[in-house]
Amino acid sequence: MADPTNLLSPEELDALAAGIEDGSIEADTGVNTGTEAVKHDLTNEDSSLGVNVGSIDMINERFVRQFRASLLDVLRTTPKINMANVQIVKYSDYLNTLSPPLAVETVRFEPLQGQCLVCIDPSVVFSSLDNFFGGFGRGMNELPPGRTFTPTENCVIGIMINVLFGALQEAWAPVMPIKCEHVSSEINPNFAQVADGNDLVVVSRFGAELSHDNTGNIDIVYPYNSLKPIRDELGSRV
């Protein structure tokens, strides 16, 4: 019985190859012969599709206004908050830009999937602490090696996180209502695994100047996968 998987005999295959080689049998006469194959890496997410960065910029603009006003009420000073461009990068690349120790807060923004990250430079914490107790916003620029935040400093971080939550909820309201929840605190961002190293994250960075000689960054980091399910809502607001 002939092998059903072998439709042509070896002699027929040789004759077919010879005919194509000498031109007696036409080649490239099939369907879609001009179509080119495009390489695609299934393990690499495409950030050019899905999440509209412009919508995140609009949310951040509203957040800056609300956050600045709320800090004024709490710290009795007028902070300068500058918004940087939104970036979509690999989580490992983002971690490489940080220099711990930092105030690293893992948070949940329901109904967004997964957990997000809020990173606050120590200089912002120390300036806020000084302002909170009536000072001029002066303080250390970094946390000394081997030292963690004191209970008083953690209280100030908690106040700032609550203010940030309120500003974020106001900023997101025109798009969708969110509920902010604090999950955990760290001083090393490598311990806060909100995404795998190769996963994409959406980074919103804000420069905070609470005194003339003390500035620092506040980062809000969304896992890219947490924003993909609401890309239609985000796109409709731009």
Side-chain angles (χ1 to χ4, degrees), residues 66-86:
Q66 186 66 32
F67 190 50
R68 184 189 296 118
S70 300
L71 285 180
L72 175 61
D73 292 338
V74 173
L75 302 179
R76 303 301 178 184
T77 187
T78 305
K80 294 181 180 179
I81 308 295
N82 301 312
M83 183 184 75
N85 292 331
V86 175

Side-chain angles (χ1 to χ4, degrees), residues 102-106 117-120 149 184-189 192:
L102 302 163
V104 181
E105 310 300 321
T106 303
L117 209 62
V118 176
C119 293
I120 306 175
F149 289 109
S184 64
S185 300
E186 300 285 350
I187 61 173
N188 190 332

Side-chain angles (χ1 to χ4, degrees), residues 29 37-38 43 78 102-103 111 115 123 126 144-145 148 162 168 171-172 217 219 227:
T29 58
V38 179
T43 64
T78 305
L102 302 163
Q115 296 178 346
S123 58
F126 296 135
T148 60
N162 287 333
L168 268 182
W172 273 85
N217 294 324
D219 294 347
L227 299 180

Side-chain angles (χ1 to χ4, degrees), residues 27-36:
D28 298 329
T29 58
V31 179
N32 294 331
T33 57
T35 303
E36 296 183 0

Side-chain angles (χ1 to χ4, degrees), residues 6-225:
N6 191 3
L7 301 180
L8 298 177
S9 66
E11 293 78 9
E12 290 172 328
L13 291 174
D14 292 339
L16 181 61
I20 294 175
E21 185 176 353
D22 60 23
S24 60
I25 298 178
E26 294 185 6
D28 298 329
T29 58
V31 179
N32 294 331
T33 57
T35 303
E36 296 183 0
V38 179
K39 293 180 62 177
H40 180 71
D41 185 359
L42 295 176
T43 64
N44 185 26
E45 295 180 86
D46 184 3
S47 62
S48 64
L49 302 174
V51 175
N52 192 320
V53 175
S55 59
I56 304 297
D57 280 326
M58 294 178 64
I59 292 173
N60 290 344
E61 289 174 1
R62 290 193 292 267
F63 167 76
V64 167
R65 292 194 294 269
Q66 186 66 32
F67 190 50
R68 184 189 296 118
S70 300
L71 285 180
L72 175 61
D73 292 338
V74 173
L75 302 179
R76 303 301 178 184
T77 187
T78 305
K80 294 181 180 179
I81 308 295
N82 301 312
M83 183 184 75
N85 292 331
V86 175
Q87 292 186 324
I88 300 180
V89 297
K90 287 185 177 181
Y91 186 53
S92 58
D93 293 339
Y94 168 70
L95 292 179
N96 290 334
T97 67
L98 304 179
S99 299
L102 302 163
V104 181
E105 310 300 321
T106 303
V107 298
R108 183 178 292 110
F109 299 144
E110 295 181 356
L112 301 185
Q113 298 177 1
Q115 296 178 346
C116 302
L117 209 62
V118 176
C119 293
I120 306 175
D121 282 348
S123 58
V124 178
V125 176
F126 296 135
S127 293
S128 301
L129 177 66
D130 193 59
N131 276 315
F132 186 78
F133 288 103
F136 295 98
R138 301 190 180 101
M140 298 180 293
N141 289 323
E142 58 184 24
L143 196 65
R147 179 165 100 70
T148 60
F149 289 109
T150 66
T152 303
E153 291 162 353
N154 280 321
C155 286
V156 171
I157 293 172
I159 292 172
M160 294 190 66
I161 290 297
N162 287 333
V163 171
L164 184 143
F165 281 175
L168 268 182
Q169 289 174 168
E170 290 287 338
W172 273 85
V175 178
M176 61 184 296
I178 65 169
K179 180 182 178 182
C180 303
E181 177 187 353
H182 183 263
V183 177
S184 64
S185 300
E186 300 285 350
I187 61 173
N188 190 332
N190 292 300
F191 297 152
Q193 289 297 326
V194 300
D196 291 333
N198 289 326
D199 290 345
L200 296 176
V201 292
V202 181
V203 181
S204 297
R205 173 162 290 180
F206 307 91
E209 182 179 343
L210 301 179
S211 67
H212 294 295
D213 57 352
N214 211 336
T215 61
N217 294 324
I218 300 175
D219 294 347
I220 301 176
V221 182
Y222 305 93
Y224 185 78
N225 285 332

